[in-house]
Amino acid sequence: RAAVIIEQPKHNSRSATNIDAGGPIEVIYSVLKQLNIENDREVIPIGYSWGGGIAISLALELYHHKSKSQTRVANKIGKIKKLVLFMPSYSDLDTNSKQRKVSSLTNLPTLILWFPVDQIHPYTLGQYLVKNIPQSSLTFLDCGKFTNWKGAWNYEVYDFLIVPLMLNFIKE
């Protein structure tokens, strides 16, 4: 097993561009290929905010490749075993967008974690995701009166809440 962290600076943070040529999904494939993590290997994407949106896009690309369509990247990466999302930024509500609907992730166990007081990531999105991803669960994390503005994005002070939930889900 290996853990790989991929930072993607200078990319557009809109869900609809995740699958574009040269976009985040192709960057992920390039990294996995360099590490010989491709084809038949299982992966568990974990993403926060836009990284969560990219993880959803990757899962949708692989799911659609395996079931219906052929994509540039999906035939080169193994399968996604599970998905872990921490307040992901993702939208499939634009009917003019090429984004696929999260409801097509029918057989993918998905853990969604959310701080309901976050001022940037509305918890209604977490509720939407758990309602529309069939094998998902949503855990609201209690952090008192913490807000982004007071905490300056310091979610690491809540690692004691977040990490055990992720690890237990991955081990299941």
Side-chain angles (χ1 to χ4, degrees), residues 5 14 20 52 73 83-84 90 109 111 113 119 146:
I5 298 171
R14 301 198 34 91
D20 287 351
V73 174
L83 191 57
V84 179
Y90 185 86
L111 173 65
L113 302 172
Q119 296 174 354
F146 169 81

Side-chain angles (χ1 to χ4, degrees), residues 17 44 47 52 59 63 65 68 70 75 80 83 88-89 91-93 96 105-106 116 122 130 144 152 154 156-157 171:
T17 64
I44 302 175
Y63 179 82
H65 164 67
K68 299 175 190 169
Q70 190 68 264
N75 62 343
I80 292 185
L83 191 57
S89 294
S91 176
D92 63 5
L93 301 177
N96 296 320
L105 296 174
T106 55
V130 77
N154 289 323
E156 65 269 9
V157 299
K171 289 179 189 177

